[in-house]
Structures are given as structure tokens and as C-alpha cells.
Amino acid sequence: MALVPYYRQLLPMLNLYKQRRVNIGDHIDFRSGRRIGDVVNATLELLEQCGGPDAYLNIKYMVPTYESCVYNR
């Protein structure tokens, strides 16, 4: 909850990198490590889980393509 006041500064930068995911179709990606889009998505999920009751609304406002990991289960 300590980062909630800083969401307006953090989330626009995460929004830029969220879409950096590569769809490779049926192929297998043999590179080790995670892509930046996957790391950003995991970070947004953690911010939502630890940010309190209004975290999802703040994230959705700044990152319109984000889908909740808490409410969609």
C-alpha cells in the first residue's frame, strides 16, 4: 500500500512496456529468461494484490488494457 500514492508516476511507464509481448504462434521460444512484457504484467499483478481495495481501479485507469488477476478468478 505504500506505492499507491505513486501509481500516477509508475503506471504510465509500465503501460509503455506492457504491450512488448511477442506472439510466436506454435513455435517454441528457447531463450531463457522472461520478456519485458511478462515482467511488467507480473509487476502489475503484484501492485493490484498488495495495493488495497482501490488498486485495481487506479491501475485500470492508467493501463486500460490491464485485466484483473484478482476479480477474474
Side-chain angles (χ1 to χ4, degrees):
M1 283 207 225
L3 290 176
V4 174
Y6 302 103
Y7 275 8
R8 293 205 182 258
Q9 287 82 26
L10 294 172
L11 294 175
M13 296 311 297
L14 293 176
N15 189 28
L16 290 175
Y17 290 105
K18 184 177 185 325
Q19 300 304 323
R20 294 214 173 197
R21 301 176 106 182
V22 177
N23 183 1
I24 58 173
D26 293 348
H27 302 151
I28 298 173
D29 187 9
F30 290 104
R31 295 183 209 167
S32 62
R34 297 169 69 182
R35 299 214 179 252
I36 188 73
D38 297 331
V39 173
V40 167
N41 199 37
T43 303
L44 290 172
E45 289 175 0
L46 280 173
L47 288 173
E48 179 186 3
Q49 291 171 357
C50 301
D54 293 330
Y56 173 71
L57 296 175
N58 289 322
I59 293 171
K60 188 67 175 176
Y61 179 73
M62 300 300 288
V63 184
T65 58
Y66 177 71
E67 296 181 13
S68 176
C69 66
V70 175
Y71 295 120
N72 291 337
R73 288 189 178 181

